[in-house]
Amino acid sequence: KPLSFYTKEVPTTAAESATVPTRLAATLPARNAEAVETLITLLELRPDLRIDVLDAGDLPPLPADPRIVRYPWDRGATDEQVEGVLKRCDEAHPAPLDFVLLLGGESPLARAAKRLDLRAIIGVGGSGKPWTKCFPQPADAAGWRRLAEDLVHTGKTRKKDA
């Protein structure tokens, strides 16, 4: 069974014991190179991740890492089409999608993830249903890195890492 993203273990310890990758579908704000820092930091803290980045053709350069896979989608797609994109993304790997990380705050994807019963719908700039957790839009690269740290570390793991 994939690890819970909000694991109680120190993230690197949790990653070492993983038998399948923790999978997430992620979006990035269009042409926002600083937001890529979130993905880089997540991969540093959780080496067991596989990130399917939904690519509408306007992504900033991504790191060359086999754990990051581009998956095409259309930002203007209808709700039904968006749900189909997430289903196909989920089926593209033997391990199931665990959650979505919508750094661009895309509400149609959040609603589709809710209909597909994904464990968590995490976003930037959204609020209320169907979001599991939302964060304010970071102002700089350091803020995007802190966002990743906030996703990985719980209060207990922060104490263990200190």
Side-chain angles (χ1 to χ4, degrees):
K1 187 172 179 180
L3 295 171
S4 169
F5 196 64
Y6 291 101
T7 181
K8 292 180 182 179
E9 297 180 54
V10 174
T12 52
T13 303
E16 290 168 2
S17 62
T19 57
V20 296
T22 298
R23 280 194 64 216
L24 65 117
T27 62
L28 294 167
R31 293 175 277 292
N32 184 331
E34 291 180 335
V36 175
E37 291 297 323
T38 302
L39 303 183
I40 293 168
T41 304
L42 285 173
L43 291 171
E44 289 169 358
L45 294 171
R46 287 293 300 265
D48 64 313
L49 287 180
R50 175 189 157 111
I51 304 173
D52 292 288
V53 179
L54 300 181
D55 183 359
D58 55 6
L59 289 180
L62 297 175
D65 188 310
R67 297 170 295 168
I68 295 178
V69 178
R70 290 177 183 256
Y71 200 85
W73 78 292
D74 177 5
R75 288 188 193 274
T78 65
D79 281 4
E80 294 79 21
Q81 291 168 326
V82 169
E83 189 170 329
V85 166
L86 282 179
K87 282 181 182 178
R88 287 188 299 280
C89 182
D90 185 25
E91 295 165 355
H93 189 276
L97 274 176
D98 293 299
F99 62 96
V100 292
L101 178 61
L102 306 175
L103 299 177
E106 296 85 359
S107 293
L109 279 167
R111 289 189 300 270
K114 179 73 172 175
R115 288 190 300 272
L116 295 175
D117 292 324
L118 293 182
R119 272 197 283 188
I121 303 162
I122 302 164
V124 168
S127 64
K129 293 182 180 180
W131 305 97
T132 306
K133 183 155 182 77
C134 283
F135 294 89
Q137 175 100 21
D140 55 18
W144 287 103
R145 283 189 294 277
R146 276 191 305 278
L147 176 95
E149 292 167 357
D150 288 344
L151 288 171
V152 172
H153 292 284
T154 63
K156 287 182 180 183
T157 62
R158 285 188 192 280
K159 290 177 187 174
K160 289 180 185 178
D161 284 348

Short mmCIF file of all heavy atoms in Angstrom, two decimals, residues 14 28 154:
data_model
loop_
_atom_site.label_atom_id
_atom_site.label_comp_id
_atom_site.label_asym_id
_atom_site.label_seq_id
_atom_site.Cartn_x
_atom_site.Cartn_y
_atom_site.Cartn_z
N ALA A 14 10.56 7.05 5.83
CA ALA A 14 9.36 6.53 5.19
C ALA A 14 9.66 6.14 3.75
O ALA A 14 9.22 5.10 3.27
CB ALA A 14 8.24 7.56 5.23
N LEU A 28 1.35 23.13 -12.37
CA LEU A 28 2.15 24.31 -12.05
C LEU A 28 1.46 25.52 -12.66
O LEU A 28 0.83 25.41 -13.70
CB LEU A 28 3.55 24.18 -12.66
CG LEU A 28 4.44 23.08 -12.10
CD1 LEU A 28 5.66 22.86 -12.99
CD2 LEU A 28 4.87 23.42 -10.69
N THR A 154 5.22 16.73 9.29
CA THR A 154 4.21 16.96 10.31
C THR A 154 4.93 17.56 11.51
O THR A 154 6.16 17.61 11.53
CB THR A 154 3.52 15.65 10.72
OG1 THR A 154 4.49 14.78 11.31
CG2 THR A 154 2.86 14.97 9.54
#
